[in-house]
Amino acid sequence: MSKNNGGIKYMDSLRNYLEKIIDGSEKGISAAVIRCILFLLSLLYAQLAKIRSTLYQNNILKKKKANIPVISIGNITTGGTGKTPFTAFLAEELKSQYKIAIISRGYGAAEDVEEPFLIKADSELYAEAAEAGDELFMLARNYDQLIFIRSANRYQGTKLAEVQGADLILLDDGFQHYQLKRNADIVLIDAEKPFSNNKVLPAGLLREPFTALKRADIFLLNRSENVDFSRIKELETSLKTLSPSHSGVFKAETSLESCVAVASQKEEELSFLEEKKVFAFSGIGSPEAFKKSIESAGAEVVSYKIFNDHYSYQKEDLLTLLDQYSASQADLILTTEKDAVKLFDFAEMIGDLPFYYLKISLKIEAKEELLNLIKSKIKNGSAK
């Protein structure tokens, strides 16, 4: 075993152990001690987050305003809540009316670039996944007519967007980015596991204390198909308490679109997965959600390899995965589209192997009401 593989396995084991400590399933004295330490650290983290928020709210730390409207899409927890599919949905619905720039800090990028960095303008792609980051590159390769910019400093990203002719900015993962004023904050919440154990990092998965939700203008409860009506109503009541002035709570379901071959890009209907045995792997924020998606398509997951979110795959990783797939006796190997964009360089290695990724989208309940609300924020809402 190489040192690299050994390191990966160690980090995977450590991550799994910490997840069990956080959710309370790991028992014993050692787990209790670590849980106590994480809780004390979370108290410190929460206070620092509150102080930072207060400094911006009282104009001690100055906010900056772009010359064009900004819509922020974010969440309050770590892990996947569906921000990327929702950003794609919003861009698709609004691109006929606005010249849209999507700005992201480029999570998953393996290479440093001088920021702000233009990933794509109209149909011209200027970067690879290693430079853009997995989610931003995935969106960029799927959409023309849009501008894609990688910039950790979102305000500087808006300047480049303006030069490129944008008249609307979608700010990816912007809820905790206080520096840039925005016309609306849209916060996505996983309806199935909305707030983990209700604790702030590192004792839980909350990025900020619950009080931060009072800044949210619109909530989207994603994966609502996985919970019953009473649970949705409970969440809506909680959000009304946490954010009394919010403009609306909407629901979304994850929709499976198709199955696509990584090497050839040949697209298959979902029925292709029925009764298939699948070796799956992913490096996303919600790995269990991906597993459920595969099973909902009628396939059996015989083995599942989980990597860290935004994992940067190397040739050695792919060779190991192919070996594990062979040993699993599965019919095919399946990953997410976000993971697949980092594997296109290995198409020759993949060859004719049955190596696919799953395309997903969001179905929004009361879609027109949501879009009209967002448009009103763009036209009439003042940046805050």
Side-chain angles (χ1 to χ4, degrees):
M1 181 189 299
S2 70
K3 290 182 179 179
N4 185 45
N5 272 342
I8 291 171
K9 288 192 173 183
Y10 172 76
M11 292 304 297
D12 284 346
S13 298
L14 180 60
R15 184 193 69 246
N16 292 334
Y17 180 64
L18 289 175
E19 286 175 352
K20 289 179 181 178
I21 287 176
I22 288 172
D23 66 23
S25 60
E26 186 71 27
K27 307 298 182 183
I29 295 175
S30 296
V33 171
I34 294 173
R35 200 173 289 119
C36 182
I37 293 171
L38 293 177
F39 176 69
L40 293 175
L41 290 173
S42 75
L43 295 178
L44 175 62
Y45 180 94
Q47 287 304 311
L48 291 174
K50 286 180 179 179
I51 290 170
R52 179 169 172 263
S53 176
T54 301
L55 291 174
Y56 275 104
Q57 288 173 8
N58 291 283
N59 211 29
I60 298 170
L61 291 177
K62 304 294 183 182
K63 290 186 177 182
K64 297 180 179 179
K65 185 178 182 298
N67 294 321
I68 53 180
V70 175
I71 300 295
S72 167
I73 300 162
N75 57 17
I76 195 172
T77 57
T78 62
T81 53
K83 294 191 304 298
T84 301
F86 181 70
T87 301
F89 159 80
L90 208 53
E92 181 65 31
E93 294 292 334
L94 298 177
K95 69 181 183 182
S96 64
Q97 300 171 57
Y98 301 95
K99 183 69 173 179
I100 298 173
I102 296 175
I103 301 177
S104 170
R105 69 176 300 169
Y107 291 106
E111 295 182 12
D112 292 330
V113 296
E114 185 176 345
E115 297 185 355
F117 183 67
L118 185 63
I119 303 300
K120 186 178 184 180
D122 294 321
S123 60
E124 190 71 27
L125 191 61
Y126 299 104
E128 299 294 335
E131 297 169 311
D134 45 23
E135 292 167 344
L136 192 59
F137 186 74
M138 184 183 83
L139 289 172
R141 67 182 295 273
N142 285 336
Y143 291 92
D144 292 335
Q145 306 173 33
L146 304 178
I147 302 161
F148 296 87
I149 294 170
R150 171 183 164 182
S151 186
N153 184 317
R154 309 303 207 281
Y155 177 71
Q156 291 301 320
T158 69
K159 298 289 102 181
L160 178 55
E162 290 169 20
V163 169
Q164 293 294 321
D167 54 18
L168 175 64
I169 288 169
L170 300 183
L171 192 66
D172 175 60
D173 199 20
F175 192 54
Q176 284 77 36
H177 192 82
Y178 297 149
Q179 185 190 46
L180 182 62
K181 292 184 178 183
R182 69 288 309 270
N183 294 65
D185 264 306
I186 303 173
V187 173
L188 275 68
I189 294 172
D190 186 333
E192 191 174 17
K193 297 179 180 178
F195 307 118
S196 176
N197 57 2
N198 299 330
K199 292 184 175 63
V200 175
L201 291 167
L205 300 183
L206 288 173
R207 292 175 165 189
E208 301 179 84
F210 282 122
T211 52
L213 287 176
K214 67 184 178 183
R215 305 195 315 270
D217 300 295
I218 299 168
F219 293 102
L220 186 73
L221 304 180
N222 194 19
R223 304 190 182 102
S224 60
E225 73 275 16
N226 295 328
V227 297
D228 58 32
F229 180 76
S230 62
R231 179 56 176 151
I232 294 292
K233 299 307 292 183
E234 286 176 11
L235 278 171
E236 290 176 343
T237 300
S238 297
L239 293 174
K240 184 63 178 176
T241 302
L242 292 165
S243 179
S245 62
H246 74 72
S247 301
V249 180
F250 297 84
K251 297 187 285 294
E253 297 182 1
T254 299
S255 175
L256 307 182
E257 298 294 323
S258 61
C259 193
V260 184
V262 173
S264 68
Q265 292 294 287
K266 181 183 178 183
E267 195 163 359
E268 304 282 358
E269 294 184 359
L270 281 177
S271 57
F272 171 76
L273 290 176
E274 290 179 4
E275 299 183 2
K276 293 285 199 312
K277 293 182 178 180
V278 170
F279 171 77
F281 73 94
S282 68
I284 57 175
S286 297
E288 283 303 312
F290 179 54
K291 183 173 184 288
K292 287 182 179 179
S293 293
I294 298 171
E295 292 171 339
S296 71
E300 177 190 357
V301 179
V302 295
S303 184
Y304 187 13
K305 173 64 177 175
I306 298 173
F307 292 89
N308 291 332
D309 195 11
H310 304 290
Y311 187 80
S312 180
Y313 297 97
Q314 305 300 317
K315 180 179 179 180
E316 188 178 41
D317 298 312
L318 183 59
L319 291 171
T320 300
L321 285 168
L322 294 177
D323 284 342
Q324 292 173 339
Y325 154 68
S326 179
S328 72
Q329 297 185 329
D331 298 313
L332 57 90
I333 182 168
L334 188 63
T335 190
T336 71
E337 187 175 6
K338 189 178 102 169
D339 291 290
V341 297
K342 293 178 283 190
L343 299 170
F344 292 148
D345 289 343
F346 304 125
E348 191 173 322
M349 288 175 58
I350 294 169
D352 295 328
L353 288 171
F355 198 134
Y356 296 87
Y357 65 87
L358 199 58
K359 285 183 72 73
I360 65 168
S361 63
L362 293 186
K363 286 186 177 178
I364 313 288
E365 186 177 308
K367 180 180 80 170
E368 293 305 321
E369 182 184 344
L370 172 61
L371 289 171
N372 288 335
L373 177 57
I374 292 171
K375 290 173 187 177
S376 72
K377 298 286 185 182
I378 294 171
K379 293 177 181 178
N380 307 317
S382 57
K384 57 183 178 65

